[in-house]
Amino acid sequence: DTAVSQTPKYLVTQMGNDKSIKCEQNLGHDTMYWYKQDSKKFLKIMFSYNNKELIINETVPNRFSPKSPDKAHLNLHINSLELGDSAVYFCASSQDAAGRLNTEAFFGQGTRLTVV
Amino acid sequence: KQEVTQIPAALSVPEGENLVLNCSFTDSAIYNLQWFRQDPGKGLTSLLLIQSSQREQTSGRLNASLDKSSGRSTLYIAASQPGDSATYLCAYSSNTGKLIFGQGTTLQVKP
């Protein structure tokens, strides 16, 4: 039974298109995240939500917009895709938010986005 | 500046060896430190979490230590096996809740 699941696993699309990546966690966690892993395998946070409220918004282009309909879901919508958006996007969740002890993070399997 | 450095970047050992992966960080105000494993084309699997008040955690053949004062953590793998081959990532949680990652150590254990 998958704890953090993302769809799709692979996404190939043309420049200029709009696409969404979905994420769901069945761990009952309060906090969800989006991370980006670039071509050099470096992972960096993009967004974090706690109980549907945005708490972290790193320096990410406005074309990226997260949406959290409930605390078990955090979707990532990307407008006007660019070649440089090609990367692996990981969703993650943790029980607690910033400043608390139980912040062990669990990750999804990733979505490999290729913009052509 | 929040930085995590992992040394070595790559490591190849024969099966059965004990090995140590190193992680150093510049931020002294960490909340916890987490070690992950990433297999090629896969997601991240959490291996061990060390709270800032703890000094080490153990799980099976894995032992992770944390020294906040020196900004260092080590992951010790005992009796390595080919199935341990993967990239090992170290990350600490800051007071904002985000994880700051190192670039990983890619381990190959040869049969």
Side-chain angles (χ1 to χ4, degrees):
Chain A
D1 193 19
T2 305
V4 182
S5 60
Q6 301 177 223
T7 54
K9 188 173 181 180
Y10 300 98
L11 184 54
V12 181
T13 188
Q14 291 186 328
M15 280 175 50
N17 283 350
D18 302 338
K19 290 293 178 184
S20 292
I21 306 171
K22 296 184 177 181
C23 179
E24 176 182 5
Q25 54 96 2
N26 62 6
L27 297 167
H29 288 169
D30 287 340
T31 307
M32 296 185 72
Y33 312 81
W34 278 108
Y35 286 83
K36 179 180 179 180
Q37 188 171 43
D38 62 23
S39 58
K40 296 183 179 179
K41 307 298 183 186
F42 185 62
L43 270 155
K44 189 173 181 182
I45 193 166
M46 300 173 69
F47 301 103
S48 171
Y49 270 72
N50 178 256
N51 273 318
K52 303 193 298 177
E53 181 182 348
L54 180 67
I55 56 173
I56 295 176
N57 184 350
E58 291 290 289
T59 307
V60 177
N62 291 336
R63 299 180 294 103
F64 290 79
S65 55
K67 287 184 171 53
S68 182
D70 55 63
K71 74 173 191 176
H73 295 83
L74 181 62
N75 304 321
L76 183 64
H77 189 75
I78 315 170
N79 290 326
S80 304
L81 278 155
E82 300 177 356
L83 293 176
D85 296 333
S86 296
V88 182
Y89 293 84
F90 286 98
C91 177
S93 73
S94 63
Q95 177 61 54
D96 287 323
R100 300 185 184 181
L101 292 180
N102 194 358
T103 56
E104 181 175 11
F106 295 86
F107 281 71
Q109 80 279 17
T111 296
R112 182 174 294 276
L113 171 65
T114 303
V115 183
V116 297
Chain B
K1 186 179 179 182
Q2 296 171 322
E3 281 188 358
V4 178
T5 304
Q6 291 190 244
I7 295 173
L11 184 61
S12 181
V13 299
E15 182 177 4
E17 274 204 8
N18 301 325
L19 50 98
V20 175
L21 307 183
N22 296 293
C23 171
S24 61
F25 46 91
T26 55
D27 194 343
S28 60
I30 71 168
Y31 276 82
N32 60 50
L33 188 135
Q34 202 166 349
W35 282 93
F36 295 89
R37 169 186 174 140
Q38 185 174 24
D39 292 281
K42 304 286 187 182
L44 279 68
T45 301
S46 178
L47 297 173
L48 289 164
L49 171 76
I50 310 176
Q51 304 285 4
S52 61
S53 59
Q54 297 173 326
R55 292 193 64 86
E56 67 177 335
Q57 282 288 338
T58 298
S59 176
R61 294 182 294 107
L62 305 178
N63 175 277
S65 67
L66 174 63
D67 185 342
K68 278 185 59 177
S69 61
S70 65
R72 293 181 182 179
S73 176
T74 60
L75 179 66
Y76 175 82
I77 304 177
S80 58
Q81 302 171 359
D84 295 330
S85 299
T87 296
Y88 290 81
L89 294 161
C90 159
Y92 75 86
S93 174
S94 70
N95 60 353
T96 62
K98 66 182 180 183
L99 283 170
I100 292 97
F101 280 87
Q103 290 196 264
T105 294
T106 299
L107 171 66
Q108 183 184 31
V109 181
K110 299 178 181 177

